[in-house]
């Protein structure tokens, strides 16, 4: 049977993989192919152990794989055979040249655009899934139309808002789907076609259409606003620690104002993830480019507070543990940047591990899903690091536990058993405020939450 539509996605990462799996699942009459330059990644997508951990993803992939969802390394063939191409290759922060440390590195995107141009044999619709600086679509269009009168390329912006750990849920039931297109008859036609795909499972009123630039900017701004909330509550957590107020109480009182809302107000050791910092830096770079220095400084403050929060956490540990961590053993509960993912990109745990190692502490890192990535992140500096999945074994013989990821598992452990096997006095630094602090104190721990008075025995 000929498929109703043939879709290609270039980039089989955290965004491309789950998004395409869901489209294939919701649209059994479409044929979806995901390609990537990394053969190992493709082999993993085709195996029993997917390259990323995402609740619910395994069963969806298994139900559609090799039926109407295919993973392959044949990028050129994919381009030739599909007229609808999503691009979700990575756009990391530049580490060289102009805009280093700030601007997005667009080399993979540009390379992909050139590849599409080279191997296309007919008109294509190109859909930006990667988060990109405003006006990237324009640059891509210029590449795609350079010296080319044969074929038509329409570029759409369709940013992905899924969060890791809840990707399947977010894709199945998104708050909104955003599709930006040129305000031309052809742009409108391409936009309508993409609306038609999402309308298979997303209520029509949640599918927003707008111009391309607004769509690209909305993605950056959504992430900036979310990160800003975390930095706002974290900034206040520092004040709470100085004044004996309790950040959980403050967040509850503030969040009950319907205008503010109660989500994304959990004080923490700091935000991580591949998007928040990168997208804010991108926004800051853009503002500076346009001479909007005050606006740029305002958003940069969100990152400054995040860095401050991570630093504060280490200072609090150092202070609490008699101003020396040298040769002390510290157990880290969690290394992923958030719960329910094995992803460690920009995880606060990376920064904190490095700082603790500088203080000459010995680390035991525990995490149910992120240990392979942790080993990569600390490669070359982990002579004094052990990686131990079992939390009891990890904590035994250590002076302190630092909770860095809010895995549900950490709420349910037998902390009496853990305490009994630790060096005394035993400390616990709850960087996610997920544990029962009073109960821990009663067991004998010295407990340091975020944004609350510590509970200490001396
Ligand atoms: C990526 C971007 O990081 C993010 O900015 C954007 O919003 C969505 O796409 P993610 O899926 O998390 O997010 O990235 P990653 O897991 O690194 O996946 C990107 C994939 O693209 C990798 O598997 C990489 O091998 C592949 N890739 C990269 C290509 O296939 N071709 C390239 O030229 C470059
Ligand atoms: C984010 C956006 O939510 C998503 O829409 C976008 O597509 C990609 O970036 P993600 O990075 O996967 O998703 O996770 P998110 O749940 O937003 O958490 C980001 C970071 O903020 C994590 O480190 C998390 O622990 C932290 N966080 C979040 C807090 O510290 N407190 C909160 O209240 C919420």
């Amino acid at each position: 049977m000929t498929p109703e539509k043939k879709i290609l996605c270039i980039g089989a990462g955290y965004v491309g993989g789950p998004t395409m799996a869901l489209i294939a699942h919701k649209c059994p009459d479409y044929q979806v192919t995901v390609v990537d330059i990394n053969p190992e990644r493709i082999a993993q997508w085709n195996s029993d152990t997917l390259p990323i951990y995402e609740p619910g993803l395994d069963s969806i992939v298994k139900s559609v794989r090799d039926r109407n969802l295919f993973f392959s390394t044949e990028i050129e063939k994919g381009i030739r055979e599909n007229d609808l191409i999503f691009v979700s290759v990575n756009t990391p922060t530049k580490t060289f040249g102009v805009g280093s440390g700030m601007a997005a590195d667009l080399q993979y995107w540009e390379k992909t655009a050139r590849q599409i141009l080279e191997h296309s044999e007919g008109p294509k619709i190109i859909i930006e899934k990667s988060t990109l600086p405003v006006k990237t679509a324009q640059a891509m269009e210029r590449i795609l139309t350079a010296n080319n009168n044969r074929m038509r390329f329409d570029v759409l912006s369709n940013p992905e808002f899924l969060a890791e750990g809840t990707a399947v849920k977010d894709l199945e039931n998104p708050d909104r789907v955003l599709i930006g297109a040129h305000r031309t008859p052809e742009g409108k036609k391409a936009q309508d076609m993409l609306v038609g795909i999402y309308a298979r499972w997303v209520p029509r009123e949640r599918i927003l259409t707008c111009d391309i630039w607004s769509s690209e900017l909305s993605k950056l701004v959504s992430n900036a606003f979310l990160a800003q909330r975390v930095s706002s509550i974290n900034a206040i957590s520092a004040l709470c620690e100085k004044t004996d107020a309790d950040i959980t109480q403050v967040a509850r009182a503030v969040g009950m104002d319907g205008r503010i809302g109660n989500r994304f107000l959990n004080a923490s050791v700091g935000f991580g993830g591949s998007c928040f910092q990168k997208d804010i830096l991108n926004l800051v770079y853009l503002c500076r480019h346009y001479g909007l220095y005050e606006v740029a400084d305002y958003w940069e403050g969100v990152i400054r507070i995040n860095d401050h929060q991570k630093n504060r956490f280490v200072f609090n540990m150092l202070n609490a543990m008699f101003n020396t961590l040298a040769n002390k053993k510290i157990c880290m509960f969690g290394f992923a940047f958030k719960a329910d993912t094995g992803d460690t990109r920009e995880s606060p745990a990376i920064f904190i591990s490095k700082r603790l190692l500088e203080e000459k502490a010995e680390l035991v890192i525990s995490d149910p899903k992120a240990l392979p990535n942790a080993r990569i992140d600390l490669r070359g500096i982990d002579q004094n690091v052990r990686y131990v999945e079992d939390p009891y074994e990890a904590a035994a013989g250590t002076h302190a536990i630092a909770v860095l990821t809010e895995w549900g598992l950490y709420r349910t452990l037998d902390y009496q058993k853990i305490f009994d096997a630790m060096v005394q006095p035993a400390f616990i630094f709850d960087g996610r405020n997920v544990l029962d602090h009073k109960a821990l104190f009663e067991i004998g721990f010295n407990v340091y939450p975020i944004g609350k008075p510590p509970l200490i025995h001396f």
Side-chain angles (χ1 to χ4, degrees):
M1 207 174 65
T2 336
E4 170 70 25
K5 273 194 179 27
K6 287 175 73 180
I7 296 177
L8 179 74
C9 175
I10 305 180
Y14 286 87
V15 172
T19 311
M20 292 306 123
L22 206 95
I23 292 182
H25 176 64
K26 295 290 182 187
C27 311
D29 50 338
Y30 292 4
Q31 180 183 304
V32 182
T33 308
V34 189
V35 292
D36 200 290
I37 43 168
N38 181 344
E40 261 168 54
R41 217 169 215 197
I42 290 299
Q44 286 173 315
W45 280 111
N46 279 323
S47 77
D48 282 341
T49 316
L50 301 186
I52 61 176
Y53 170 70
E54 219 18 276
L57 184 63
D58 273 38
S59 63
I60 290 189
V61 169
K62 280 175 192 154
S63 72
V64 287
R65 195 171 55 195
D66 297 329
R67 203 185 70 194
N68 67 329
L69 175 68
F70 302 91
F71 293 96
S72 147
T73 49
E74 292 184 302
I75 303 181
E76 295 166 9
K77 178 165 176 272
I79 293 170
R80 273 196 303 276
E81 292 180 356
N82 292 274
D83 299 336
L84 200 62
I85 304 179
F86 286 83
V87 181
S88 67
V89 301
N90 41 343
T91 49
T93 304
K94 252 183 115 175
T95 52
F96 55 89
V98 175
S100 178
M102 285 256 157
D105 184 348
L106 295 175
Q107 59 172 315
Y108 306 117
W109 237 98
E110 174 161 343
K111 199 189 84 202
T112 303
R114 290 185 190 279
Q115 227 173 0
I116 294 174
L117 176 60
E118 193 183 336
H119 299 285
S120 290
E121 291 169 355
K124 310 270 174 201
I125 296 174
I126 315 296
I127 304 157
E128 297 179 349
K129 256 288 168 213
S130 309
T131 306
L132 295 162
V134 177
K135 304 240 164 172
T136 304
Q138 192 177 52
M140 293 308 138
E141 272 166 350
R142 288 190 180 144
I143 292 170
L144 289 167
T145 49
N147 305 321
N148 165 37
N149 303 315
R150 278 181 308 130
M151 278 170 292
R152 179 172 180 88
F153 292 97
D154 286 294
V155 179
L156 299 175
S157 160
N158 172 218
E160 185 46 66
F161 296 103
L162 68 81
E164 286 174 36
T166 52
V168 172
K169 203 168 104 277
D170 295 343
L171 286 165
E172 280 196 309
N173 190 19
D175 285 349
R176 79 304 206 186
V177 168
L178 184 60
I179 303 173
H182 281 307
R183 300 241 185 269
T184 58
E186 294 83 2
K188 174 86 178 59
K189 201 169 146 219
Q191 192 173 44
D192 288 347
M193 185 282 310
L194 191 54
V195 168
I197 294 182
Y198 285 105
R200 289 283 189 101
W201 76 96
V202 179
R204 186 61 190 81
E205 65 278 10
R206 286 202 228 150
I207 306 176
L208 305 182
T209 54
C210 64
D211 64 273
I212 292 199
W213 322 139
S214 304
S215 170
E216 289 178 335
L217 185 59
S218 300
K219 169 68 190 187
L220 291 186
V221 173
S222 296
N223 275 346
F225 270 55
L226 289 168
Q228 181 203 42
R229 275 177 81 90
V230 178
S231 276
S232 296
I233 203 73
N234 282 345
I236 301 303
S237 77
L239 183 61
C240 287
E241 285 168 31
K242 295 281 181 211
T243 57
D244 282 355
D246 180 327
I247 194 65
T248 307
Q249 311 275 355
V250 174
R252 186 181 305 137
V254 171
M256 274 177 79
D257 185 326
R259 294 169 300 177
I260 297 171
N262 60 9
R263 295 171 66 189
F264 252 74
L265 285 182
N266 295 321
S268 68
V269 59
F271 60 74
S274 73
C275 287
F276 280 4
Q277 170 146 324
K278 167 169 74 82
D279 290 355
I280 293 176
L281 287 173
N282 220 317
L283 188 64
V284 167
Y285 185 73
L286 203 67
C287 294
R288 294 233 162 93
H289 174 79
Y290 287 107
L292 301 171
Y293 299 105
E294 288 76 9
V295 183
D297 290 349
Y298 172 74
W299 286 107
E300 204 166 33
V302 172
I303 293 180
R304 266 203 309 277
I305 288 292
N306 198 47
D307 290 341
H308 178 60
Q309 190 74 350
K310 291 184 278 189
N311 266 313
R312 260 176 17 80
F313 190 78
V314 176
F315 276 120
N316 281 347
M317 290 181 78
L318 190 57
N319 262 341
M321 295 174 74
F322 319 113
N323 292 312
T324 173
L325 297 176
N327 303 318
K328 287 189 177 147
K329 293 192 177 66
I330 296 172
C331 170
M332 295 179 31
F333 274 2
F335 202 86
F337 81 97
K338 64 187 276 194
D340 296 322
T341 176
D343 193 354
T344 59
R345 289 177 293 176
E346 303 292 338
S347 177
I350 301 175
F351 173 88
I352 286 163
S353 305
K354 288 183 178 166
R355 282 287 297 106
L356 294 176
L357 290 170
E358 278 167 20
E359 294 293 338
K360 305 249 179 284
E362 293 172 28
L363 303 185
V364 187
I365 297 177
S366 193
D367 190 292
K369 294 286 174 195
L371 290 188
N373 281 330
R375 284 177 197 276
I376 296 170
D377 296 327
L378 300 181
R379 192 183 284 157
I381 54 164
D382 63 355
Q383 299 80 357
N384 288 325
V385 180
R386 285 194 301 130
Y387 303 90
V388 179
E389 190 171 324
D390 179 72
Y392 294 102
E393 198 190 317
T398 62
H399 296 73
I401 295 171
V403 180
L404 298 182
T405 312
E406 72 281 20
W407 286 103
L409 151 82
Y410 299 139
R411 295 171 210 259
T412 57
L413 299 175
D414 178 348
Y415 280 94
Q416 182 68 58
K417 181 171 156 193
I418 288 175
F419 178 80
D420 291 342
M422 286 176 69
V423 177
Q424 304 302 328
F427 293 82
I428 204 157
F429 299 88
D430 186 356
R432 297 287 180 170
N433 283 348
V434 286
L435 304 182
D436 182 341
H437 301 142
K438 193 160 159 282
L440 290 171
F441 176 68
E442 280 161 9
I443 288 173
F445 279 105
N446 296 296
V447 187
Y448 289 79
I450 298 274
K452 295 169 195 259
L455 301 171
I456 34 189
H457 291 283
F458 36 77

